[in-house]
Amino acid sequence: MKKTLILVASLLISLSAGAQNLFDFNSNNGRLEVGLIIGKSGMTTSYENWGAGASLVAWGFQLDYLQAGPEHKYDHHITDTKWNDKVAFTINAGYQIPVLSWLRITPIVGYCQTNDGITDGSSVNVSWSDNSSTLYHDYDVTPGSRTHYFNYGGGISIQPLPWFSLNAVYSRYAIYGSITFDLPSLANL
């Protein structure tokens, strides 16, 4: 217990030494970050699955999108199988509170949606763009399976260098990490 109190006291003393940097909301001015997300959407439901998404931070306001599934939509096998697939996606918004110049906490609120569906392995679609093509199968949502959730939670952002940040978010229906790049700082490199 004494060691814990000494550690907390040491931390508070070191923070008070740099108190002029605490909660400096001006540090959010001019920040414009874009990034990639990897995590789990639909947590605590039977639809939870790993997915990917994108993140945008503008002047401290954060917007994240994460989608997981359907698993077999982009399968390269052509078969007469119909797969039972599931989809979960999450959209979160929040504001980054700068605790220190390199550390921010973010309360978030958002929306999560899950649903069942069928991916038809016998249907084949091809989309063309420039010199690449994508093969995908039809995915149809099972009527009545769509469920909506109010999402809430928090995140932490650590900025080890001025041009990028590492972020982690834990919410009621999603958990994910991201790396974001500060575009104005990258332009000044």
Side-chain angles (χ1 to χ4, degrees):
M1 183 67 177
K2 288 181 184 181
K3 289 181 182 179
T4 305
L5 291 174
I6 290 171
L7 181 65
V8 170
S10 298
L11 180 63
L12 290 175
I13 289 169
S14 67
L15 288 176
S16 66
Q20 65 275 11
N21 294 332
L22 282 174
F23 302 108
D24 181 16
F25 287 93
N26 289 329
S27 68
N28 281 341
N29 292 343
R31 285 183 58 236
L32 180 61
E33 296 183 4
V34 294
L36 299 173
I37 295 174
I38 295 177
K40 240 181 195 184
S41 184
M43 287 213 1
T44 70
T45 71
S46 60
Y47 300 94
E48 76 178 49
N49 204 356
W50 289 92
S55 178
L56 174 68
V57 178
W59 283 261
F61 292 98
Q62 179 173 323
L63 183 63
D64 298 333
Y65 176 79
L66 174 66
Q67 179 165 344
E71 292 179 69
H72 297 96
K73 183 172 183 171
Y74 297 102
D75 192 299
H76 290 345
H77 298 94
I78 299 171
T79 176
D80 60 353
T81 305
K82 292 188 177 188
W83 292 290
N84 291 325
D85 271 343
K86 55 189 176 182
V87 173
F89 75 84
T90 307
I91 298 174
N92 291 323
Y95 185 77
Q96 292 186 343
I97 300 168
V99 178
L100 297 168
S101 61
W102 56 272
L103 176 67
R104 293 174 172 79
I105 57 171
T106 311
I108 62 163
V109 294
Y111 170 78
C112 178
Q113 178 182 303
T114 61
N115 61 263
D116 281 325
I118 303 292
T119 301
D120 184 359
S122 65
S123 72
V124 179
N125 301 294
V126 179
S127 66
W128 296 90
S129 62
D130 296 333
N131 295 327
S132 65
S133 63
T134 303
L135 174 76
Y136 64 97
H137 302 291
D138 290 332
Y139 172 78
D140 295 316
V141 175
T142 303
S145 72
R146 188 163 285 158
T147 309
H148 311 275
Y149 305 94
F150 173 71
N151 197 29
Y152 55 90
I156 187 167
S157 178
I158 298 171
Q159 189 174 20
L161 295 171
W163 51 273
F164 85 97
S165 298
L166 300 171
N167 310 287
V169 171
Y170 179 79
S171 65
R172 176 72 174 94
Y173 295 102
I175 184 169
Y176 52 90
S178 69
I179 183 167
T180 57
F181 296 94
D182 189 343
L183 300 180
S185 294
L186 281 174
N188 293 331
L189 282 180

